[in-house]
Amino acid sequence: MENVILVTGGAGFIGSNFILHRMERDPDSIVNLDKLTYAGNLRSLEAIAHDQRYEFVRGDIADRELVRSLLDRRRPRAVVHFAAESHVDRSIRGPDDFIHTNIDGTFALLEEVRAYWGNLDRQEQAAFRFLHVSTDEVFGSLGPGDPAFSETTPYAPNSPYAASKAASDHLVRAYHHTYGLPVLTTNCSNNYGPLQFPEKLIPLMILNAREGKPLPVYGDGQNVRDWLYVEDHCEAIAIVLATGVSGETYNIGGWNEKRNIEIVEIVCDLVDEIAGRRGKSRRDLITFVKDRPGHDRRYAMNASKIERELGWRPRETFESGIRKTVRWYLENDSWVRDVTSGTYRQWIETQYSS
Ligand code: NAD
Ligand code: TYD
């Protein structure tokens, strides 16, 4: 076993932030296995692309031969599994890719990792970790007065995305219980920050606001999410990987519940301030549109277990994190232009045509 971590989905939003974060702070080598779907972008990793400790492999986690040969060749001490289809609205329009990657892909990866792990010596087996990155959406939707999700909240996924992630969480759990594979599962709330594909709420709103386009708020805008700055999430994952107890799950959240409309208003005000106002406030661009089918009303995370047991708490406040994020999108236009290619525009047209 080498000092190598296999990261899946490392060209996506959180995966690329995680790789950049780890390579700056840790001597481990990283192998990034990513299929490069519309959500994967190698530009995000330009800064470390030529680092000796980094290798990129383009491929599907469901390709068992590829995964097998990669594990045999690089002999990682851990796998950090980010690869997924991650956008709820896309899962509503077409769930197939979500079943392929999130369920079949995770199963294929687990099978190959189990075989690899089974051939390690005892000491290596004990040190090995498979860290599965999941979401708060597996717990379903909360009412206004309900307590936040904890690690023991029963699963009640509502969208095809959430259901596919829940299925993958169950598989990971079963591989620990049945085969003893040393797994860790993290369930995280909504992330925001640099390098997020602009189909998700915050980057979409920043870019539309900059361009003076309508800001489409679903339904009444009163849905609540708990927002976490992506770098805080990356740090939490690193801590769970280093010190988490095998077989345990950890909720990760920002202690920061906000209604969607509040988020959009904050974004408008920051874009006005940083990019400058051209007459009217960008709040005037807010447009209420048809609600998402089955739209979960509220997510909230109780992240006290990871704080109590592993000593992690988010560093960033929402005020500081959102300011950095808005500034990043406004200053990184060439990244934005690169990812907002034809495929992106096609998606936006399908999603918002009505
Ligand atoms: P993303 O959509 O930005 O990136 C996903 C990455 O996975 C892309 O680089 C894509 O090319 C790759 N990928 C997709 N299918 C693949 C396959 N079959 N084989 C190999 N690579 C494949 O996602 P993200 O926002 O970075 O999320 C990463 C993980 O974190 C996901 O598992 C997601 O469920 C979870 N998560 C995300 C959030 C959030 O707010 N973004 C919150 C909680 C949990
Ligand atoms: P999103 O970023 O898609 O994350 P998730 O659905 O995984 O929580 O959406 C965050 C919230 O913002 C969610 O309640 C849906 C809402 N939303 C809009 O109101 N308008 C939009 O254009 C988008 C993409 C999301």
Side-chain angles (χ1 to χ4, degrees):
M1 221 166 53
E2 310 291 333
N3 265 338
V4 172
I5 296 177
L6 172 60
V7 171
T8 71
F13 166 46
I14 306 173
S16 58
N17 274 288
F18 178 78
I19 292 175
L20 296 171
H21 184 266
R22 291 325 301 157
M23 299 229 21
E24 225 179 86
R25 291 166 177 78
D26 205 276
D28 277 340
S29 293
I30 289 186
V31 183
N32 175 13
L33 171 63
D34 196 296
K35 189 177 174 181
L36 294 185
T37 67
Y38 78 94
N41 184 4
L42 290 179
R43 274 226 44 197
S44 306
L45 293 160
E46 258 175 8
I48 50 102
H50 301 294
D51 193 307
Q52 300 280 329
R53 294 173 300 146
Y54 173 73
E55 183 189 0
F56 174 71
V57 176
R58 184 175 189 183
D60 192 326
I61 52 165
D63 180 344
R64 289 184 55 168
E65 268 173 43
L66 172 68
V67 172
R68 191 176 313 147
S69 68
L70 197 52
L71 290 168
D72 286 346
R73 180 167 66 79
R74 295 304 308 265
R75 305 187 53 74
R77 67 170 185 83
V79 174
V80 182
H81 177 34
F82 293 99
E85 287 293 334
S86 70
H87 188 33
V88 174
D89 293 325
R90 284 184 189 258
S91 83
I92 294 167
R93 287 191 179 272
D96 299 56
D97 290 345
F98 290 73
I99 307 303
H100 170 78
T101 291
N102 302 2
I103 305 180
D104 295 338
T106 300
F107 166 67
L109 189 63
L110 281 168
E111 273 295 89
E112 289 308 323
V113 168
R114 177 166 78 91
Y116 164 73
W117 175 77
N119 286 325
L120 298 174
D121 67 37
R122 270 185 174 280
Q123 218 180 341
E124 290 176 330
Q125 281 191 343
F128 185 84
R129 291 290 179 271
F130 181 95
L131 192 155
H132 175 59
V133 179
S134 191
T135 167
D136 58 0
E137 305 198 22
V138 297
F139 299 118
S141 184
L142 293 169
D146 291 340
F149 302 131
S150 76
E151 286 78 2
T152 54
T153 301
Y155 274 32
N158 288 322
S159 69
Y161 163 66
S164 67
K165 290 297 290 187
S168 67
D169 293 9
H170 291 322
L171 283 169
V172 170
R173 179 192 151 88
Y175 272 64
H176 177 72
H177 192 78
T178 306
Y179 305 113
L181 190 70
V183 306
L184 298 155
T185 296
T186 55
N187 293 85
C188 189
S189 61
N190 285 57
N191 284 218
Y192 69 98
L195 304 172
Q196 185 169 33
F197 191 75
E199 66 185 350
K200 304 274 169 75
L201 181 72
I202 289 182
L204 181 85
M205 294 298 162
I206 298 171
L207 297 175
N208 278 15
R210 181 189 66 176
E211 286 156 30
K213 291 185 182 162
L215 307 176
V217 174
Y218 298 162
D220 61 5
Q222 299 298 313
N223 303 65
V224 173
R225 298 292 183 264
D226 168 27
W227 294 93
L228 177 69
Y229 192 64
V230 65
E231 212 173 293
D232 279 327
H233 186 192
C234 294
E235 214 157 86
I237 291 172
I239 290 171
V240 173
L241 185 61
T243 60
V245 176
S246 169
E248 290 291 312
T249 69
Y250 297 92
N251 279 3
I252 304 175
W255 300 104
N256 178 58
E257 283 185 59
K258 287 221 177 328
R259 291 174 294 124
N260 291 341
I261 189 68
E262 283 179 76
I263 298 281
V264 178
E265 286 173 355
I266 292 168
V267 165
C268 287
D269 296 348
L270 281 169
V271 176
D272 278 347
E273 181 197 313
I274 298 169
R277 240 167 106 151
R278 298 186 215 107
K280 290 202 281 191
S281 156
R282 284 176 172 86
R283 288 189 185 210
D284 293 343
L285 299 168
I286 293 173
T287 311
F288 291 93
V289 299
K290 196 165 155 279
D291 208 354
R292 168 188 284 174
H295 196 175
D296 283 341
R297 196 63 174 167
R298 174 175 166 241
Y299 303 143
M301 275 307 224
N302 179 341
S304 45
K305 175 178 170 180
I306 187 173
E307 179 172 351
R308 197 177 54 245
E309 295 185 5
L310 308 184
W312 174 88
R313 231 193 120 79
R315 291 173 198 267
E316 210 72 51
T317 64
F318 188 71
E319 290 64 34
S320 60
I322 191 71
R323 182 172 283 278
K324 279 190 197 173
T325 305
V326 170
R327 198 173 279 287
W328 188 88
Y329 279 92
L330 297 179
E331 286 172 358
N332 285 275
D333 198 43
S334 81
W335 183 91
V336 171
R337 267 187 283 123
D338 226 40
V339 305
T340 52
S341 61
T343 342
Y344 172 79
R345 280 194 294 275
Q346 213 176 4
W347 160 250
I348 293 292
E349 264 162 42
T350 326
Q351 175 64 6
Y352 300 111
S353 58
S354 55

